[in-house]
Amino acid sequence: MSKKKIVFSGVQPTGNLHLGNYLGALKNFVSLQSKMQCIYCVVDLHAITTFQKPDELKKNVLETVASFLAAGLNPEKSIIFNQSAVPGHAELSWILNCVSRVGWLNRMTQFKDKAGSDKEKASVGLYIYPNLMAADILLYKATHVPVGADQKQHLELSRDIAQKFNNDFNCRDFFPLPEPLIQKNISRVMSLRDGTKKMSKSEESDYSRINLQDSADEIMKKIKKAKSDSEQIPDSLKSLENKPEALNLINIYSEISKVNLEKVLNEMSGKEYSFLKTKLAEILVSEITPIGKEIKKLLQDRSHLEAILKKGKRKASIIAEENLKNIREKVGLI
Ligand code: AQP
C-alpha cells in the first residue's frame, strides 16, 4: 500500500457557506495543507442530488471557491477544482454502485433526514450520494478525509466499499481505508434556533446560521436572537446536558476564543446568557467579517476563480486518470 498521505474533502455549492462549514471543515482543510498533499473539491455533482437552479449553481461554485480562498486555502499548496470537471468521479461512482450494497445505503441517516417523510419522491442520486462520496475519495486513493461529524457515517461506508472492492477483486490494500479527521472540540455546530439540528445551508430560516458573508450587524442580530436558556450560565458541563442551544453557543465561543469549555464556564458561571452573547458576537464579528469581505472581493474577479478551478482540474485529472486506469484493469473493463 502507498504510504503517501493524501487528504481529500468536498463542499457542496448549495449556497452561502456558514459557521458550521467553517469550524467543522474549512479550518481543518487549511491546517492540513502544509502537512500533506491536499485535494479540495467543490462537489457540484452532489449538489444536484436536490434540484439546483442552473444559474445559481454556477454562481455557488465560484462562491465556494472564493470561500475556500478567503478562509486560507492556497491553490499553490492544495488542488482546488470542481467535481464535474473530472469525469472520473462519475465513472468510479458507477463502478462503486455495483460494489456497494442496498442494505448499507438503507442505513444512511442523512438520506432519511434529507428525503423527509416522502422518500418515494427523493432523487435516486440523493439515495446513492454516499457511493459518489466514496468515489470522490477513492479516485485519489485518499488516506485522510477532514469532515464534520455529520459525515462520519458516510466515511464509514467509504471504508466498507474500499474493503469490499479490495476483497472482490483480490487486490489487498489497493484502496487505502480512508480515515476521517473530525475536529475534536466542535465537530458539529448546531442551528441557532434549534440546538438539536445541525447548522445547515438549506435550513429555511437565515437566523439559524451565521453565514461567512454576514455583516457585523447581521451577526450581532442573529446572536442576540439565538435561543439560549432562561437560567443563568451554570458552572459545569453536566448542567448543560439538556440545554443544546446554550451548549452550542458556549461551544462556539470556546472554539473561536480558543479557551477550553471548563475555563469558559469558570469565567461565566452565574452570569446571564446576554453576557455570553455580547462576547460571542464580538469575537464572531472579528473572525468572520474579514473572511466575508475577502469573499466579496474575490468574487469581483470571476476569471481568477475560474483559472484556479482550471488549474486544479488539470492536476486532479492526472491523478484520477492514472488511478482509473488501474481500477478499470482490476474490474476487467477494456
Ligand atoms: N453544522 C455543521 N457543523 C460542523 N460541520 C459541518 N459541515 C456542514 N455542516 C456542519 C461540514 O462542512 C463540510 C461541507 O458540507 P457540505 O456543504 O458539503 O454538506 P452538508 O454537510 O450537507 O452541509 P449543509 O450546510 O447541511 O448543506 P446543505 O444544507 O446544502 O445540505 C462537510 O465536511 C460537513 O461535514
Side-chain angles (χ1 to χ4, degrees):
M1 189 180 5
S2 151
K3 295 230 163 37
K4 193 171 175 204
K5 290 180 178 165
I6 300 177
V7 170
F8 178 93
S9 198
V11 174
Q12 293 191 77
T14 38
N16 267 324
L17 297 202
H18 51 69
L19 187 67
N21 299 128
Y22 177 67
L23 295 180
L26 285 183
K27 276 189 101 168
N28 218 359
F29 291 6
V30 174
S31 75
L32 288 164
Q33 70 179 347
S34 39
K35 300 180 196 145
M36 302 181 201
Q37 157 80 83
C38 292
I39 305 171
Y40 296 122
C41 186
V42 181
V43 288
D44 46 6
L45 296 177
H46 279 280
I48 61 169
T49 55
T50 54
F51 181 75
Q52 306 295 319
K53 290 187 183 143
D55 286 343
E56 257 173 49
L57 179 61
K58 285 183 195 159
K59 178 178 138 276
N60 286 336
V61 169
L62 294 186
E63 240 176 65
T64 307
V65 181
S67 305
F68 280 5
L69 302 181
L73 283 186
N74 176 349
E76 297 303 321
K77 290 186 181 167
S78 301
I79 299 179
I80 296 171
F81 71 108
N82 62 309
Q83 189 184 25
S84 62
V86 178
H89 289 257
E91 182 178 342
L92 182 56
S93 168
W94 180 256
I95 295 174
L96 299 184
N97 281 340
C98 303
V99 174
S100 180
R101 303 290 93 180
V102 170
W104 297 354
L105 288 180
N106 283 343
R107 288 198 288 274
M108 297 296 114
T109 52
Q110 183 172 289
F111 175 74
K112 290 176 192 155
D113 293 344
K114 288 203 169 174
S117 53
D118 197 353
K119 295 188 181 34
E120 300 283 311
K121 284 202 173 143
S123 75
V124 177
L126 188 65
Y127 181 65
I128 58 173
Y129 174 119
N131 293 346
L132 176 59
M133 179 164 158
D136 299 335
I137 298 164
L138 300 178
L139 186 58
Y140 301 95
K141 297 199 171 181
T143 53
H144 294 82
V145 185
V147 280
D150 57 309
Q151 292 297 330
K152 189 163 180 267
Q153 193 186 34
H154 289 165
L155 235 314
E156 280 157 9
L157 183 87
S158 298
R159 290 168 64 89
D160 290 343
I161 293 174
Q163 180 88 67
K164 187 168 187 310
F165 184 100
N166 292 350
N167 290 342
D168 287 357
F169 297 102
N170 205 13
C171 48
R172 203 167 160 243
D173 296 340
F174 177 76
F175 283 131
L177 306 189
E179 301 273 349
L181 295 176
I182 295 177
Q183 295 280 45
K184 281 194 197 75
N185 304 331
I186 191 155
S187 58
R188 197 188 291 261
V189 178
M190 309 312 279
S191 154
L192 299 178
R193 311 298 290 162
D194 175 353
T196 63
K197 287 190 184 156
K198 72 164 189 159
M199 188 176 282
S200 167
K201 300 184 214 96
S202 50
E203 166 62 44
E204 223 170 282
S205 166
D206 200 48
Y207 276 92
S208 67
R209 64 185 159 258
I210 302 290
N211 302 306
L212 296 186
Q213 294 187 62
D214 280 347
S215 66
D217 264 6
E218 282 166 326
I219 293 176
M220 286 191 290
K221 238 188 249 159
K222 286 177 178 180
I223 294 298
K224 199 167 173 197
K225 280 193 173 252
K227 260 186 148 178
S228 55
D229 193 48
S230 52
E231 289 174 19
Q232 291 165 338
I233 300 174
D235 58 5
S236 75
L237 271 176
K238 194 146 184 29
S239 323
L240 288 167
E241 256 169 20
N242 296 317
K243 299 174 190 273
E245 288 87 8
L247 178 62
N248 187 39
L249 295 180
I250 293 174
N251 262 328
I252 298 172
Y253 180 77
S254 158
E255 181 62 21
I256 307 244
S257 64
K258 300 192 178 73
V259 177
N260 74 40
L261 278 178
E262 285 75 18
K263 227 170 153 192
V264 172
L265 289 179
N266 270 344
E267 229 179 71
M268 297 199 182
S269 71
K271 299 209 160 68
E272 303 296 327
Y273 278 91
S274 54
F275 177 80
L276 165 69
K277 284 183 171 185
T278 308
K279 293 197 120 207
L280 177 58
E282 275 168 18
I283 51 167
L284 277 173
V285 167
S286 71
E287 174 107 6
I288 299 299
T289 54
I291 299 175
K293 281 187 193 137
E294 184 62 18
I295 297 174
K296 287 180 184 126
K297 195 173 123 205
L298 286 161
L299 285 170
Q300 311 271 311
D301 189 356
R302 209 186 139 106
S303 57
H304 171 59
L305 300 172
E306 285 167 348
I308 288 174
L309 286 177
K310 209 164 157 194
K311 194 164 162 200
K313 170 203 164 156
R314 273 203 302 273
K315 292 188 192 164
S317 299
I318 294 170
I319 310 172
E321 258 318 306
E322 180 61 25
N323 286 337
L324 258 181
K325 208 166 66 193
N326 295 328
I327 293 165
R328 291 189 199 108
E329 173 65 29
K330 295 281 173 224
V331 177
L333 302 171
I334 302 176

